[in-house]
Amino acid sequence: VIGGSCAAETLNGVFNVGGADNCSLAEVAGLVAAKFGVAVETVPWPEAAEILESGDTMFDGERLQEILGCEYLENVADWVAALDAVSV
């Protein structure tokens, strides 16, 4: 993230932060919830927001990864598994 904010190619751009596995927001929420023994509650979109909603949010950071030339070190599931209650 820091590297991306300092790169000239990212000026005024909007970028996703992702990983090699390109998970949806729902998938990441499910992993975190399972790790900490809680449930994910979904609620309907408000009508005004539903008009703008484009579908599933995906954490696809490929565009930023191409600019920075970096490789991801682990996938989201392994990262969540390594979390503990003290570190969050």
Side-chain angles (χ1 to χ4, degrees), residues 18-23 59 65 72 74-76:
D21 37 7
N22 295 331
C23 298
F59 293 107
Q65 185 179 4
Y72 295 106
E74 59 187 331
N75 63 43
V76 173

Side-chain angles (χ1 to χ4, degrees), residues 27-55:
E27 290 170 318
V28 174
L31 289 169
V32 172
K35 169 69 179 180
F36 294 103
V38 298
V40 175
E41 179 183 351
T42 59
V43 296
W45 284 96
E47 188 175 332
E50 184 71 35
I51 295 168
L52 301 174
E53 175 56 27
S54 61

